[in-house]
Amino acid sequence: MDYDILILGGGIIGCAVAYELSKYNFNIALIERDYDVADDVAFFNTAIVYDGSETSDDVMSGLEYIGSNIMRETCERFNVPFKKIGCLRVVSDENGILKLEEMYERAKRRGIEGVYLLDNKDVYDIEPNIKSNVKRGLYSENVAIVAPFDLAIAYAEVASDNGVNFRLEEEVLNIQELARGFRVTTNKNKFNCKVVINTIPHEIFIQENGKVEEQVIEENKEKSKNMSYLLVDDNYKNKLNKIVIETFDKNSFVISAPMTTSGSLIGIKTTKKSSLDESLEYANRVISNLTRKNINNIFKESYNKDSMLIDDSEIDRGYIRITGTHYGKITIAPAIARMICDTISNNLNCTLNKNFIDKRREIYKFRELGKKEANEIIALDSRYGKIICVCNQISEGEIVDCIRRPLGARTVEGVKRRTGAGFGSCQGSHCYQKIVNILARELDKNITEIVDDSKNSKVLESRIKEFKDV
Ligand SMILES: Cc1cc2nc3c(=O)[nH]c(=O)nc-3n(C[C@H](O)[C@H](O)[C@H](O)COP(=O)(O)OP(=O)(O)OC[C@H]3O[C@@H](n4cnc5c(N)ncnc54)[C@H](O)[C@@H]3O)c2cc1C
């Protein structure tokens, strides 16, 4: 066998599974087709960590509850931004009140503490800047925000340091079941392994007895529903401190959440594609005086209907499949990874890895250092004194470190995700070219070879004779 375990896909689930399994003496590889792990985890470095009180599905609720608790400990250990800030759901009609009461009763039945049903006065005490004519609210103090890129990359770095082989830029083409184990064919290699953990979200080919069978996982997009996201500048005066969700009807809501770095994020779900002005109109039903001037960036996507599948029914054959979408998949990733690890370690004869190091190599974040500490680090490496991203105060030292770390950044997006450079109010317009130059120097490449995110995203197409830098 080439490997005991092959993990297919390097999203948050694949990376969390790799980390958990690296605690055992398995020979493991993770195969990811992109240049980097966690490429699709989010548009921005903030995700909500749910507490299991909001969903009507008891299984998902349990996974969210366990996942959020494991995540809090993991983030503390790996120094990943995780802030328990609380979530306030507000309603302004009778139907909404009934829904909140149902949610509250469910949370009580599940034994989730820290969930309170509030009248409108209590709501405004917690969040005086909410604009709407709120009748009632449901406050859950357990809900948190996390930096999802940091978390996924931390999982991958620790797994890599503990021996997991990350095979990037390698695309899985098919999986063939053998008399013992599996053969996974990629665009570069063929590997035999005992166990396959497949987290790839789309179709894959499974061959049984030489026969090719196409398994198509339905794209479960609700075509009629759209999400728009507005990144709100930190200077916006009426920002909300909690995560606030106001549901208007079954097809539309507005969600506002502070970001893990600075500024806030507003998500708007509607039935029709909204222009920026229409999105602002929706957002202003919940907060006040939000204008175009306060918006740094906009993202849009169609709304995914939840369709999560965790299938370990074929574990005796050595095959586990995790697929589908769920609005809280980041939250449940740590719980799924633990569950899979328990199942596999019970099924395969294995021992704990005595050399396992549950620690991420240290990262110096200039903006978080005190003056004395910053000066000490600058004295050791002057690149920590040279600021590249002025908005988020990211130094050259941090960018160089993120390229040279295990599973280091090789693309501009990789640098941005790891350091936060380019995610400030100018959205990279002042630092993008500087990041490209540092990448070229550190990777010993020509500047025209540097890509934004993937193979087909070259930053500069070709050399222009007049510019000697290029
Ligand atoms: C806009 C948005 C907001 C969200 N907000 C939240 C939130 O606030 N809280 C929360 O808990 N969750 C949230 N989620 C959910 C969460 O971000 C995603 O569901 C989660 O990141 C999916 O992770 P994954 O590992 O399952 O899949 P993916 O991230 O899709 O990973 C699968 C990987 O497989 C790779 N791959 C695909 N095909 C192949 C192949 N043939 N060979 C090799 N590799 C392949 C892909 O490149 C990818 O890296 C949000 C999702 C979206 C879209």
Side-chain angles (χ1 to χ4, degrees):
M1 291 281 170
D2 299 305
Y3 292 104
D4 295 319
I5 302 169
L6 275 179
I7 301 165
L8 313 185
I12 184 96
I13 300 275
C15 292
V17 170
Y19 160 72
E20 285 295 340
L21 287 171
S22 69
K23 295 175 181 172
Y24 291 85
N25 281 318
F26 291 124
N27 184 12
I28 307 167
L30 180 149
I31 306 180
E32 165 58 50
R33 71 174 172 191
D34 280 334
Y35 270 44
D36 205 351
V37 290
D39 211 34
D40 300 332
V41 72
F43 294 138
F44 20 75
N45 207 6
T46 298
I48 296 171
V49 185
Y50 298 92
D51 66 349
S53 63
E54 82 300 335
T55 173
S56 56
D57 184 323
D58 283 341
V59 175
M60 283 301 165
S61 163
L63 288 173
E64 283 180 13
Y65 186 77
I66 298 168
S68 60
N69 282 311
I70 302 174
M71 193 188 290
R72 194 187 55 242
E73 288 165 17
T74 309
C75 288
E76 212 175 300
R77 205 164 50 251
F78 295 165
N79 203 10
V80 169
F82 178 100
K83 292 181 200 156
K84 189 171 140 179
I85 53 171
C87 173
L88 189 56
R89 286 173 186 273
V90 295
V91 293
S92 1
D93 62 13
E94 291 305 316
N95 190 31
I97 293 177
L98 286 177
K99 290 257 162 3
L100 284 194
E101 286 171 350
E102 262 173 44
M103 233 182 238
Y104 175 66
E105 288 306 321
R106 262 199 322 254
K108 261 199 337 196
R109 175 172 56 78
R110 290 171 180 157
I112 301 172
E113 289 177 0
V115 180
Y116 310 96
L117 200 53
L118 309 176
D119 61 25
N120 65 343
K121 182 181 166 302
D122 294 335
V123 168
Y124 287 108
D125 280 348
I126 293 180
E127 267 300 359
N129 283 338
I130 295 184
K131 186 183 169 195
S132 16
N133 186 19
V134 168
K135 290 226 164 82
R136 289 206 89 165
L138 185 79
Y139 180 58
S140 172
E141 64 186 17
N142 313 303
V143 180
I145 49 172
V146 70
F149 303 142
D150 283 41
L151 178 62
I153 290 166
Y155 274 138
E157 285 184 2
V158 178
S160 166
D161 270 347
N162 284 292
V164 174
N165 181 6
F166 280 77
R167 310 190 64 94
L168 302 178
E169 278 184 85
E170 193 156 345
E171 183 163 11
V172 176
L173 302 179
N174 72 50
I175 308 164
Q176 183 183 358
E177 190 174 355
L178 307 173
R180 280 184 63 233
F182 294 86
R183 174 172 300 142
V184 173
T185 306
T186 70
N187 56 343
K188 295 180 178 168
N189 292 294
K190 281 188 167 72
F191 301 111
N192 286 4
C193 64
K194 289 183 196 155
V195 172
V196 168
I197 301 167
N198 186 359
T199 77
I200 292 174
H202 58 265
E203 65 197 57
I204 196 89
F205 301 95
I206 302 205
Q207 293 183 350
E208 273 178 34
N209 308 325
K211 194 174 142 223
V212 180
E213 180 194 325
E214 190 176 347
Q215 189 189 30
V216 181
I217 310 295
E218 294 250 323
E219 274 270 289
N220 219 334
K221 300 239 176 223
E222 282 193 77
K223 293 276 183 290
S224 58
K225 298 192 185 133
N226 301 279
M227 281 300 293
S228 306
Y229 293 95
L230 309 177
L231 286 191
V232 180
D233 196 272
D234 209 26
N235 296 324
Y236 168 62
K237 286 203 177 67
N238 303 317
K239 69 178 167 215
L240 305 175
N241 295 313
K242 307 283 175 196
I243 299 161
V244 172
I245 305 173
E246 174 151 14
T247 304
F248 302 111
D249 55 57
K250 76 179 185 1
N251 293 320
S252 56
F253 64 70
V254 169
I255 177 167
S256 163
M259 302 275 280
T260 49
T261 43
S262 60
S264 50
L265 175 69
I266 296 186
I268 300 135
K269 181 185 164 198
T270 50
T271 45
K272 70 181 185 72
K273 285 201 170 87
S274 330
S275 65
L276 174 56
D277 287 334
E278 284 163 335
S279 295
L280 285 169
E281 209 177 303
Y282 262 104
N284 277 313
R285 287 165 76 172
V286 181
I287 48 178
S288 314
N289 302 326
L290 186 74
T291 67
R292 279 174 170 249
K293 272 200 294 197
N294 306 118
I295 308 301
N296 284 340
N297 214 335
I298 312 163
F299 300 90
K300 284 178 190 284
E301 61 151 21
S302 47
Y303 190 82
N304 287 327
K305 194 174 172 191
D306 293 333
S307 60
M308 190 71 204
L309 172 74
I310 308 163
D311 184 1
D312 64 358
S313 60
E314 296 181 80
I315 180 62
D316 291 340
R317 284 167 57 210
Y319 190 77
I320 297 182
R321 180 87 173 102
I322 305 136
T323 189
T325 53
H326 188 267
Y327 64 86
K329 213 170 173 189
I330 293 168
T331 309
I332 63 180
I336 293 180
R338 275 272 164 99
M339 209 166 75
I340 288 175
C341 187
D342 288 347
T343 310
I344 290 180
S345 56
N346 286 334
N347 265 264
L348 295 184
N349 211 359
C350 67
T351 52
L352 280 169
N353 176 0
K354 286 204 184 97
N355 300 321
F356 177 73
I357 299 171
D358 204 0
K359 196 171 182 305
R360 189 183 189 192
R361 292 186 202 180
E362 197 143 3
I363 295 177
Y364 299 111
K365 293 183 181 168
F366 183 85
R367 64 184 179 281
E368 289 172 11
L369 299 175
K371 211 171 181 178
K372 185 167 168 277
E373 216 181 344
N375 283 336
E376 277 167 16
I377 289 162
I378 294 167
L380 290 174
D381 184 341
S382 61
R383 289 171 298 191
Y384 280 92
K386 188 172 169 192
I387 298 298
I388 299 294
C389 166
V390 179
C391 304
N392 281 346
Q393 294 287 290
I394 312 294
S395 64
E396 181 174 357
E398 288 159 80
I399 295 177
V400 170
D401 174 61
C402 93
I403 299 168
R404 293 186 182 177
R405 294 174 73 76
L407 285 175
R410 294 184 302 144
T411 63
V412 180
E413 272 302 314
V415 170
K416 287 168 70 180
R417 283 192 205 113
R418 283 168 177 78
T419 61
F423 283 136
S425 55
C426 87
Q427 291 289 294
S429 57
H430 288 105
C431 60
Y432 194 93
Q433 188 57 45
K434 292 179 195 162
I435 297 172
V436 173
N437 291 342
I438 297 172
L439 271 165
R441 187 188 72 212
E442 291 298 315
L443 299 175
D444 196 20
K445 283 188 171 174
N446 195 300
I447 211 163
T448 52
E449 292 174 272
I450 300 302
V451 293
D452 182 60
D453 196 19
S454 60
K455 226 183 332 221
N456 301 320
S457 61
K458 271 185 156 190
V459 173
L460 298 169
E461 201 44 55
S462 58
R463 183 177 186 278
I464 300 175
K465 204 167 73 186
E466 286 77 4
F467 295 101
K468 66 176 187 323
D469 280 5
V470 185

